[in-house]
Amino acid sequence: MGFTIALIVFSLLLMLLVLMHKGKGGGLSDMFGGGMQSSVGGSSVAERNLDRITVVVGLLWFACIVVLGITMKTNN
């Protein structure tokens, strides 16, 4: 039960983190006002930290799925 709750929490957190990322051009982000491009070339520290946090949460989400798959397989 604990991993199921963790999976739900990580799923919601991952959706929020992905939506917080700045659009890289073209696509749906332009349709909703994300078309304003900054003239600054590099990415800021906040964006790099957001990328790192997103990757870590994605790996934890994946680990929860693997653990749930293993436990469901052994219970049947």
Side-chain angles (χ1 to χ4, degrees), residues 17 20-21 45-55:
L17 288 169
M20 287 175 62
H21 278 86
V45 175
E47 290 173 9
R48 285 193 302 259
N49 288 337
L50 183 62
D51 289 342
R52 291 179 186 137
I53 293 169
T54 305
V55 168

Side-chain angles (χ1 to χ4, degrees), residues 32-46:
F32 298 110
M36 305 272 191
Q37 290 293 330
S38 160
S39 62
V40 179
S43 61
S44 69
V45 175

Side-chain angles (χ1 to χ4, degrees), residues 4-45:
T4 305
I5 294 171
L7 181 64
I8 293 169
V9 169
F10 286 137
S11 296
L12 294 173
L13 190 59
L14 195 58
M15 283 191 300
L16 179 69
L17 288 169
V18 167
L19 289 173
M20 287 175 62
H21 278 86
K22 185 173 67 170
K24 301 289 183 201
L28 290 178
S29 65
D30 287 342
M31 197 175 359
F32 298 110
M36 305 272 191
Q37 290 293 330
S38 160
S39 62
V40 179
S43 61
S44 69
V45 175

